[in-house]
Amino acid sequence: MALQDVLIDELRDMYSAENQLVKALPKLAKGAKDATLKTLFKDHLEETKGQVLRLREVFEHLGKKPTGQHCNGMEGVIEEGAEALEKDEEGASFDAGLVGAALRTEHYEIAGYTACISMAETLGLDGVVELLQANLEEEEAAAEKITAAAEPILEAAKEEPEDEDDSPKTGKEKYSDKKSKEDERKAAADVKKKKR
Ligand SMILES: [Fe+2]
C-alpha cells in the first residue's frame, strides 16, 4: 500500500470523525450548564461544519470520494462523552465531565490531522497540507479555549460535595466496572515484570 493510500484512509477516517462530531456537539452544547462552555461548543459546531467542507475540498484535490471509512475511534470517544452527559452530577462537576470528554475529541483530531499533514507534506501535496493545517489550527484553538473556560468550572466543582457511594449502579456502569477489572488483570503480570 502506497503512502497516498494510507493518507486517503486516514483522511476518510477524519471525514467520518468530523461528521460524527457535527451530530455530537449539539448534545454537549445542550447539556453544558456553564454559559461560556455552551457558547464554545456551539461555536465549535459551526467550525466543525466548515472542517467537513474543507475535507471535501481535500478529496477534490485528490480526485477521491470522502466516504468509505467509519471512524471507530471517534465513535468511542463520543460514547465516552455520552456517558458524561448521563452522569447525575451537580452543575460544575457535570460540566467538568463534559470538558474532559470535549478535550478528548479535540486531541483525537489533533493527532489525526498531525499524522495526515506529515504524510501530505511527504507527498508534496501543498494544497492539501494548507487545508488540513487550517483544520488543525481550529482544533488546537478550540482545545485551548475549552481548557481556559474549564478553570472556573473546576474551581467551582472542587467545592461541591463528594459522592459517598461510587459503586456502579446502572447495568452499563457494572459492565464498565467488570471490564476495567479485566483490563487490570490481563496487564498485571506484565506490569509486575517492569523493573522499578
Ligand atoms: Fe474538528
Side-chain angles (χ1 to χ4, degrees):
M1 202 152 122
L3 183 57
Q4 174 124 352
D5 298 330
V6 181
L7 172 62
I8 286 162
D9 266 6
E10 298 258 349
L11 287 170
R12 284 182 173 151
D13 230 63
M14 292 308 299
Y15 184 67
S16 161
E18 296 292 10
N19 279 312
Q20 290 184 55
L21 278 172
V22 167
K23 301 311 290 179
L25 278 166
K27 292 174 195 158
L28 286 179
K30 189 166 173 244
K33 315 242 188 276
D34 178 85
T36 311
L37 200 58
K38 205 182 255 301
T39 308
L40 279 180
F41 290 154
K42 282 186 191 161
D43 291 350
H44 195 53
L45 169 64
E46 292 315 306
E47 275 179 342
T48 302
K49 292 177 193 167
Q51 292 170 352
V52 168
L53 296 176
R54 250 185 232 125
L55 283 173
R56 285 190 193 159
E57 268 186 72
V58 165
F59 281 96
E60 271 168 38
H61 269 270
L62 297 164
K64 297 279 179 187
K65 63 174 173 52
T67 53
Q69 192 99 1
H70 171 70
C71 182
N72 289 315
M74 186 55 90
E75 188 181 327
V77 174
I78 287 174
E79 176 55 31
E80 303 247 329
E83 281 168 24
L85 281 167
E86 281 168 18
K87 286 259 187 293
D88 105 64
E89 294 276 357
E90 299 306 310
S93 308
F94 180 84
D95 277 353
L98 298 194
V99 165
L103 283 177
R104 278 182 174 78
T105 69
E106 292 315 316
H107 284 271
Y108 189 88
E109 292 185 289
I110 290 168
Y113 283 124
T114 304
C116 288
I117 288 168
S118 303
M119 292 182 207
E121 273 171 352
T122 305
L123 291 163
L125 299 165
D126 297 347
V128 170
V129 170
E130 208 176 296
L131 288 160
L132 295 177
Q133 194 69 41
N135 280 10
L136 175 63
E137 278 164 24
E138 285 178 354
E139 309 300 10
E140 286 171 339
E144 269 172 40
K145 280 183 236 168
I146 293 168
T147 305
E151 268 182 49
I153 294 170
L154 301 188
E155 283 298 332
K158 195 170 77 175
E159 304 305 326
E160 284 168 3
E162 256 177 76
D163 198 348
E164 298 286 320
D165 172 22
D166 71 346
S167 61
K169 287 163 202 79
T170 64
K172 213 171 170 185
E173 282 172 1
K174 283 179 189 151
Y175 175 75
S176 188
D177 180 55
K178 185 174 148 242
K179 292 291 277 182
S180 78
K181 286 174 182 143
E182 239 174 75
D183 297 337
E184 185 188 54
R185 185 174 45 74
K186 284 181 189 161
D190 293 320
V191 173
K192 210 174 162 188
K193 273 187 238 148
K194 159 118 176 67
K195 303 242 181 325
R196 301 198 73 173

